[in-house]
Amino acid sequence: MTIREETEELELKMLSRYASFSKFSEGRDIKEKECDIRTCYQRDRDRIIHCKAFRRLKHKTQVFLAPEGDHYRTRLTHTLEVAQIARTVAKALRLNEELTEAIALGHDLGHTPFGHAGEAALNQVCSEGFSHFTQSIRVVELLEKNGKGLNLTKEVRDGIVNHRTSGNPKTMEGKIVRLSDKIAYINHDIDDAIRGNILTESDLPSEYTLILGKSKKERLNTMIIDIVTQSKDKPDIIMSDEISDAMSGLRKFMFEYVYSNPVAKGQEGKAKMMLKFLYDYYLNHVDELPPEYISLIEDRNEHIERVVCDYIAGMSDLYSVKKFEELFVPSFWKV
């Protein structure tokens, strides 16, 4: 018996009956020889960590565009915080931690430069529309490894595409990530807003902080314990009405006072305009796309608009600015 098989048998003995067992995964679209050491979900986690799209997250905006300071969240640090929260919940509920982690690490792979501003810009200009959660699936199924994709299990892909608020993940692990994503961004965005002098802790509505806590640590602890307590030995991942309502109220407050704040979001208009310029340019100069994107059009018959979105969505903040400067900002002539 291999180490992987031993691990699979241990899962059957130790995990909750509601867990997604590695041994019974629905598998991959392309069948592969199993690893002797790692379960299928461990392999998915490793593939995501080692892919190019994951590394680019470190230079993509979370909320604050081009912040001056090393301690503001990026899309990568957000992803890691989601994974940490999700694994804590999964372990407490005896669910599959490796599946949970793989979904969490892959949930934002399709995010654009400049966060949701970039997502909105591409959605406005592309006739087929654009959303980061469907782009994340496109990254793992097609764009990585020069058109081969990562060949992830169906459970991981389901969790990635259904992490959005309106999503309905099939697995308990996917449901954990869906809630953990909200818990992470609400709390770390408050932290960043306080660091950026946009908010103070006392500005947060007391009707929510009296329930959730008066610090990031207290709020995280309250929300995580509530999920574990409410979901224990149940076939769903839920929160109590009191905690859920308070979290929703705090989220609404953040949208009103932070996510639309001119200090934090003052550069968004420029970012959107820049990405729209890039989109129009490459739509009319397809031959200037990198070879792997041209191949998608010529060899895979992918729609030109979608492939242009693929290229732009894959850019980091800094790279998109660099390409814009190369294409639209005149350089000074030198002898």
Side-chain angles (χ1 to χ4, degrees):
M1 181 179 288
T2 65
I3 292 175
R4 171 186 54 80
E5 290 170 329
E6 290 177 357
T7 302
E8 290 174 345
E9 292 304 314
L10 280 173
E11 286 182 0
L12 296 175
K13 295 176 182 178
M14 298 178 65
L15 297 186
S16 163
R17 66 184 186 274
Y18 300 119
S20 299
F21 299 103
S22 303
K23 186 175 183 177
F24 302 131
S25 168
E26 293 184 18
R28 312 176 189 281
D29 288 348
I30 302 174
K31 191 172 179 60
E32 300 177 4
K33 181 182 176 181
E34 296 287 352
C35 176
D36 288 341
I37 296 177
R38 297 168 298 164
T39 66
C40 57
Y41 301 136
Q42 287 178 295
R43 294 181 79 186
D44 283 359
R45 175 201 60 200
D46 295 350
R47 290 178 185 189
I48 290 169
I49 287 175
H50 289 288
C51 78
K52 292 187 294 185
F54 184 78
R55 295 194 293 274
R56 289 196 297 265
L57 295 177
K58 67 181 177 180
H59 294 304
K60 292 193 177 189
T61 290
Q62 173 61 23
V63 171
F64 292 83
L65 273 66
E68 292 185 5
D70 294 332
H71 300 135
Y72 292 94
R73 270 70 172 191
T74 64
R75 191 62 56 177
L76 178 61
T77 54
H78 160 72
T79 294
L80 296 176
E81 291 186 36
V82 173
Q84 178 268 323
I85 293 169
R87 282 203 66 151
T88 297
V89 175
K91 188 176 185 68
L93 294 174
R94 292 188 297 113
L95 299 174
N96 196 308
E97 289 183 63
E98 280 73 32
L99 172 57
T100 304
E101 185 178 28
I103 295 170
L105 293 175
H107 83 281
D108 269 355
L109 290 177
H111 239 299
T112 59
F114 302 107
H116 289 289
E119 180 179 19
L122 291 184
N123 187 51
Q124 289 170 3
V125 294
C126 180
S127 65
E128 298 179 345
F130 181 91
S131 61
H132 78 275
F133 53 88
T134 54
Q135 187 67 16
S136 294
I137 285 296
R138 189 167 168 83
V139 167
V140 300
E141 290 184 343
L142 175 66
L143 300 180
E144 279 293 329
K145 298 182 70 173
N146 294 321
K148 296 179 182 179
L150 300 179
N151 197 29
L152 304 181
T153 57
K154 293 180 181 179
E155 292 83 3
V156 172
R157 287 181 285 153
D158 170 77
I160 289 173
V161 79
N162 282 296
H163 81 271
R164 65 197 187 278
T165 300
S166 60
N168 185 26
K170 293 180 180 179
T171 66
M172 294 281 279
E173 292 80 3
K175 293 177 186 293
I176 289 175
V177 173
R178 179 176 169 272
L179 261 181
S180 298
D181 184 32
K182 295 175 181 60
I183 291 172
Y185 75 66
I186 289 170
N187 283 285
H188 66 51
D189 291 351
I190 290 173
D191 194 38
D192 280 355
I194 291 173
R195 179 174 289 108
N197 296 316
I198 292 171
L199 287 178
T200 64
E201 180 68 38
S202 61
D203 291 327
L204 300 177
S206 60
E207 66 259 41
Y208 308 134
T209 57
L210 287 173
I211 295 171
L212 299 176
K214 296 184 178 181
S215 70
K216 181 184 69 172
K217 179 179 178 180
E218 288 182 4
R219 286 187 286 271
L220 283 172
N221 195 53
T222 298
M223 293 179 190
I224 291 170
I225 289 176
D226 185 71
I227 292 175
V228 172
T229 302
Q230 296 296 318
S231 305
K232 187 174 175 60
D233 297 322
K234 294 177 183 176
D236 200 3
I237 303 299
I238 56 176
M239 301 179 84
S240 65
D241 290 341
E242 181 185 37
I243 301 301
S244 179
D245 290 346
M247 186 178 78
S248 296
L250 198 55
R251 182 171 178 262
K252 183 178 179 181
F253 170 83
M254 290 295 289
F255 270 97
E256 184 175 354
Y257 290 96
V258 175
Y259 301 143
S260 59
N261 187 287
V263 176
K265 315 299 272 184
Q267 301 297 310
E268 277 196 357
K270 296 178 184 178
K272 287 181 179 180
M273 181 184 68
M274 184 182 70
L275 295 187
K276 289 178 181 180
F277 269 109
L278 288 174
Y279 177 86
D280 289 338
Y281 181 85
Y282 285 111
L283 200 63
N284 292 291
H285 298 84
V286 177
D287 58 309
E288 294 185 32
L289 290 170
E292 61 267 32
Y293 293 95
I294 295 176
S295 177
L296 289 173
I297 298 169
E298 296 181 347
D299 301 333
R300 305 285 291 264
N301 294 316
E302 294 286 332
H303 196 279
I304 292 174
E305 284 191 79
R306 181 57 56 202
V307 174
V308 171
C309 281
D310 290 336
Y311 180 46
I312 295 173
M315 294 179 178
S316 66
D317 295 9
L318 294 176
Y319 187 74
S320 65
V321 172
K322 177 184 175 183
K323 296 306 293 184
F324 180 84
E325 289 176 343
E326 288 178 3
L327 295 172
F328 299 107
V329 178
S331 56
F332 292 101
W333 182 77
K334 294 181 181 179
V335 177

